[in-house]
């Protein structure tokens, strides 16, 4: 349905993501201690940690990843230190994950618990608190910018000519595809709207018949100003196409149920959370 209010919101979100507060840079292009493989390992561990939180969607991890990339792009002294020190980088990532859990999932995450359980005493409470302040400062306290998941919801809401069942499948698949894609450093170079747009194109090609796609895609291109066939977006689209088979397999076999069907958030007891998280520590992964 072509709701003018939704279209207007999309335009506002696209303007917002292009402001200096939300843009990311190619922060790993220089010489530093941290590389794309470190980032990928951190993000993989982030998903494992989120999976230990009952009722928390992987979309919360995607939010945390956005915080992390923005922080690392910020050129602040804390970000520069994290780029050149693996331990500081890990501390920054854990802190971004905690901020996302607080802001987007309503978790009451105690610093001592993060120190003792999640980081296995690799960082003390004072270090975690200080890093949280540094990250919030670096992000300008802007924690609610548009994410790829937000764009997916709005884009699909205004797409004409596609039935509800197909839209539901497309939404589920495109969000799962985003969650798989953002672990790759290439996504840092794209706006959330571009990541969402490319994932929807892949999802619709996977779930929706060609005629339906051809009827609805031009409208989405018009309101977003995007075209996956041209420019740098084509590279992003190709990288996502390469993930389609694996994402489809995971969804078909129920491995990614929590990705697209998050339950209503509930607080998890510290003891049960501790047992789960202790099985995979960030300090052992990198």
């Amino acid at each position: 349905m072509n709701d003018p209010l939704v279209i207007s919101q999309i335009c506002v979100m696209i303007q917002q993501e292009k402001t200096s507060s939300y843009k990311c840079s190619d922060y790993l292009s220089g010489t530093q201690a941290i590389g794309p493989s470190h980032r990928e390992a951190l993000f993989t561990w982030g998903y494992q940690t989120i999976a230990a939180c009952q009722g928390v969607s992987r979309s919360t991890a995607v939010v945390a990843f956005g915080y992390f990339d923005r922080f690392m792009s910020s050129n602040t002294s804390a970000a520069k230190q994290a780029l050149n020190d693996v331990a500081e980088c890990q501390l920054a990532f854990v802190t971004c994950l905690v901020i996302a859990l607080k802001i987007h999932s309503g978790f009451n995450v105690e610093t001592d618990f993060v120190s003792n359980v999640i980081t296995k005493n690799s960082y003390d409470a004072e270090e975690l608190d200080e890093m949280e302040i540094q990250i919030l400062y670096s992000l300008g306290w802007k924690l609610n910018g548009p994410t790829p998941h937000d764009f997916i919801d709005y884009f699909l809401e205004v797409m004409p000519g596609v039935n509800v069942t197909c839209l539901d499948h497309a939404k589920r698949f495109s969000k799962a595809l985003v969650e798989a894609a953002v672990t790759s450093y290439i996504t840092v170079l794209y706006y959330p709207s571009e990541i969402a747009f490319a994932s929807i194109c892949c999802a619709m090609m996977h779930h929706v018949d060609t005629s339906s796609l051809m009827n609805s895609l031009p409208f989405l291109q018009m309101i977003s100003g995007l075209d996956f066939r041209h420019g740098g977006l084509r590279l992003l689209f190709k990288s996502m196409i390469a993930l389609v088979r694996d994402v489809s397999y995971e969804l078909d076999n129920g491995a990614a149920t929590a990705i697209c069907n998050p339950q209503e958030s509930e607080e998890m007891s510290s003891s049960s959370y501790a047992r789960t998280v202790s099985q995979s520590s960030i300090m052992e992964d990198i």
Side-chain angles (χ1 to χ4, degrees):
M1 180 176 64
N2 301 345
D3 187 336
L5 292 178
V6 177
I7 295 174
S8 176
Q9 180 63 30
I10 290 172
C11 293
V12 170
M13 290 164 62
I14 290 175
Q15 291 176 348
Q16 184 180 12
E17 70 178 353
K18 293 180 178 179
T19 62
S20 58
S21 298
Y22 293 101
K23 287 178 67 175
C24 292
S25 67
D26 187 6
Y27 61 84
L28 294 182
S29 61
T31 302
Q32 61 276 314
I34 307 302
S37 61
H38 292 94
R39 179 183 177 277
E40 183 175 353
L42 286 168
F43 283 20
T44 299
W45 177 85
Y47 279 138
Q48 294 170 352
T49 303
I50 288 296
C53 304
Q54 183 179 356
V56 178
S57 167
R58 281 167 58 121
S59 62
T60 298
V62 175
V63 170
F65 301 166
Y67 291 163
F68 178 77
D69 285 335
R70 286 172 55 205
F71 167 70
M72 298 294 277
S73 300
S74 66
N75 205 36
T76 59
S77 58
K80 291 177 181 177
Q81 186 173 355
L83 280 170
N84 290 285
D85 188 321
V86 173
E88 283 295 305
C89 180
Q90 292 178 173
L91 174 59
F93 180 79
V94 171
T95 306
C96 287
L97 201 61
V98 169
I99 294 172
L101 283 168
K102 290 178 179 178
I103 300 297
H104 289 272
S105 295
F107 264 51
N108 180 21
V109 188
E110 296 180 358
T111 306
D112 286 338
F113 175 74
V114 177
S115 173
N116 298 334
V117 178
I118 296 182
T119 75
K120 292 188 174 180
N121 297 309
S122 295
Y123 307 100
D124 59 33
E126 184 177 351
E127 290 175 304
L128 289 160
D129 288 338
E130 176 61 26
M131 179 57 76
E132 182 168 344
I133 293 172
Q134 292 291 338
I135 289 174
L136 292 173
Y137 169 78
S138 298
L139 300 183
W141 294 82
K142 297 182 184 296
L143 305 176
N144 292 297
T147 68
H149 284 51
D150 295 329
F151 277 107
I152 287 170
D153 288 335
Y154 280 105
F155 282 161
L156 291 178
E157 189 172 343
V158 298
M159 289 189 75
V162 185
N163 66 51
V164 174
T165 300
C166 287
L167 285 177
D168 287 343
H169 282 305
K171 180 181 290 189
R172 180 171 180 258
F173 191 87
S174 57
K175 288 186 176 182
L177 192 56
V178 163
E179 289 156 10
V182 293
T183 61
S184 171
Y185 182 68
I186 188 177
T187 56
V188 171
L189 308 178
Y190 295 91
Y191 293 113
S193 62
E194 295 174 323
I195 297 170
F197 180 83
S199 72
I200 288 172
C201 291
C202 292
M204 293 192 70
M205 288 179 178
H206 184 77
H207 284 291
V208 186
D209 63 272
T210 303
S211 61
S212 178
L213 173 66
M214 295 306 295
N215 288 334
S216 58
L217 188 56
F219 180 77
L220 182 56
Q221 290 174 327
M222 179 184 70
I223 64 172
S224 66
L226 300 171
D227 188 340
F228 71 86
R229 296 168 297 185
H230 302 297
L233 199 56
R234 188 173 182 178
L235 179 61
L236 176 63
F237 178 74
K238 286 183 176 180
S239 71
M240 285 192 166
I241 283 290
L243 297 171
V244 165
R245 179 179 296 180
D246 289 342
V247 170
S248 179
Y249 177 82
E250 290 179 358
L251 289 175
D252 290 343
N253 288 276
T257 301
I259 298 175
C260 303
N261 297 294
Q263 300 176 359
E264 187 174 333
S265 178
E266 301 174 2
E267 275 208 37
M268 191 176 186
S269 68
S270 294
S271 59
S272 61
Y273 182 79
R275 287 195 298 272
T276 311
V277 172
S278 64
Q279 297 173 6
S280 63
S281 171
I282 188 174
M283 305 313 137
E284 297 170 353
D285 286 345
I286 299 180

